[in-house]
Amino acid sequence: MLLNLGWDTSKLTTSTMAKRSTFKTLTCAVMLGFICYQNAEMISNNVVGWLSLWLPIKTASATHYTETYNNDPQTTEMNIEGPHTHTDKPHNLDDIEGKTKGSNITGPELTEDEVKVTRQQCDADRRGNGKQGMKGEPGQRGLVGMKGASGHCPPRHILQATWRALNSNHFEGPLLSTIFVKEFFGTALRLTWSGDLRLKANSEDVPACRRWYFTFNGNECVNPHPIDAQLYTETQMYLDNIHRHTTIDGMCQGLFNGRVLIELNIGPCRLTQQLGFSEGYPFTGWDTTTSLIVEEINLITNKLGEDN
């Protein structure tokens, strides 16, 4: 189609018509160039999009990352081919070495020492042996637990017997007694006696010795040992008349349950026959209150201390 500029084309010669055709062509080319210049970016994107539908064109993008070899930071630019943009530091040893067969990533040549250090770092990352992270914040406080059941402590089985001003000058045999009802076979009895004792020698020639001891149903304790006390007086003290407050305390196991007769007795010391002690002048409970406390105790173990 010819551009109508108001000329009568019937009266034009062939040469004139060729010149006018050339002028029209140049005019269209200038106008098309101006339009393309104004919309170059849009046209370029559209052309690339159209071509990508028909041709296997691969776009290239570049990324930067920082590698540290032997504490020397180096910035390396890698050209990565593919449909996606690579923005992370490569973790594959083939990528790090740079010229691995079949790899799409190319990089700088590394020395043998740098490759060795990098392999060690990658191996540590795979094993999870990286640097220790920051300490976390304390957790929330847990919920209050449920209230437990009330505890139960069994009542203590205790007996106390007292004598006011016993004033006994017996030198052998039972001095006092009481009955205790033991509830269980596997328990022990603890005795605590408190009272006044005295012992004088007969003369200045022979020393005196006397023993106070407890019996259970007529027998001394054997598990673990007897519960007793002894007083010894030298000959030069035969004129002394000293009354001393005394406590006898001990525990006995292996007693049957039921009624137990507990008695405090007095008699000769264990070494009286060997050393020839006299019986002297003993006195028990002079003008004071004498008390005996008996308690049944459930022990955790039956093993008590042995002789050294």
Side-chain angles (χ1 to χ4, degrees):
M1 182 181 67
L2 296 178
L3 182 64
N4 186 5
L5 297 179
W7 297 321
D8 187 2
T9 57
S10 62
K11 297 179 181 182
L12 297 178
T13 63
T14 303
S15 176
T16 303
M17 290 291 291
K19 291 180 181 180
R20 290 182 178 180
S21 176
T22 302
F23 176 75
K24 292 179 181 180
T25 302
L26 292 176
T27 302
C28 292
V30 171
M31 294 178 63
L32 180 62
F34 179 77
I35 295 173
C36 291
Y37 175 78
Q38 294 294 331
N39 300 276
E41 182 177 358
M42 180 183 68
I43 294 173
S44 176
N45 292 337
N46 289 335
V47 170
V48 172
W50 294 335
L51 293 177
S52 63
L53 297 176
W54 302 97
L55 299 177
I57 299 176
K58 295 184 179 179
T59 60
S61 60
T63 183
H64 292 78
Y65 68 91
T66 301
E67 289 279 7
T68 301
Y69 303 108
N70 298 327
N71 298 324
D72 182 17
Q74 301 177 1
T75 301
T76 304
E77 178 176 331
M78 298 187 67
N79 294 325
I80 305 173
E81 297 182 357
H84 302 286
T85 300
H86 185 79
T87 58
D88 295 330
K89 178 180 176 180
H91 292 282
N92 194 315
L93 291 179
D94 296 338
D95 300 341
I96 295 174
E97 293 176 1
K99 291 186 176 181
T100 304
K101 181 179 179 181
S103 174
N104 291 329
I105 302 176
T106 60
E109 292 286 347
L110 301 180
T111 64
E112 183 178 353
D113 293 338
E114 291 174 338
V115 172
K116 182 177 180 181
V117 173
T118 306
R119 286 183 179 276
Q120 293 176 353
Q121 294 175 348
C122 290
D123 291 341
D125 292 339
R126 294 191 185 100
R127 292 192 301 268
N129 296 333
K131 295 183 178 180
Q132 184 176 1
M134 298 178 62
K135 186 177 181 180
E137 297 293 333
Q140 296 183 358
R141 186 171 183 178
L143 300 177
V144 179
M146 298 178 60
K147 185 176 180 180
S150 300
H152 174 68
C153 294
R156 298 174 64 180
H157 188 193
I158 300 177
L159 169 68
Q160 176 177 248
T162 59
W163 296 264
R164 178 72 181 109
L166 185 61
N167 292 329
S168 173
N169 58 359
H170 290 80
F171 60 88
E172 191 167 357
L175 299 175
L176 53 86
S177 63
T178 187
I179 299 292
F180 184 87
V181 180
K182 191 169 181 288
E183 294 183 352
F184 306 99
F185 172 76
T187 56
L189 293 185
R190 178 180 180 181
L191 276 61
T192 303
W193 181 88
S194 178
D196 172 83
L197 298 179
R198 184 211 69 180
L199 180 63
K200 286 181 59 176
N202 293 31
S203 65
E204 58 182 350
D205 297 330
V206 181
C209 184
R210 225 61 188 156
R211 173 173 172 259
W212 285 259
Y213 59 94
F214 281 96
T215 58
F216 303 87
N217 293 329
N219 301 302
E220 289 194 64
C221 181
V222 294
N223 185 9
H225 299 292
I227 302 174
D228 61 355
Q230 289 187 155
L231 289 181
Y232 171 83
T233 302
E234 290 285 353
T235 56
Q236 62 267 28
M237 299 178 63
Y238 73 98
L239 296 178
D240 294 339
N241 186 22
I242 302 175
H243 295 259
R244 294 178 175 86
H245 182 83
T246 306
T247 299
I248 304 175
D249 188 270
M251 188 177 298
C252 186
Q253 293 179 261
L255 302 173
F256 288 100
N257 54 317
R259 291 169 58 89
V260 180
L261 174 63
I262 302 174
E263 295 178 299
L264 175 64
N265 303 268
I266 187 173
C269 295
R270 295 190 180 90
L271 299 178
T272 296
Q273 293 182 355
Q274 292 88 332
L275 301 178
F277 297 143
S278 67
E279 60 188 22
Y281 297 108
F283 202 91
T284 306
W286 175 68
D287 198 28
T288 57
T289 299
T290 301
S291 65
L292 174 61
I293 299 176
V294 184
E295 180 177 6
E296 185 173 7
I297 298 177
N298 186 11
L299 298 179
I300 298 176
T301 176
N302 291 331
K303 295 182 180 181
L304 300 180
E306 300 295 337
D307 293 335
N308 295 329

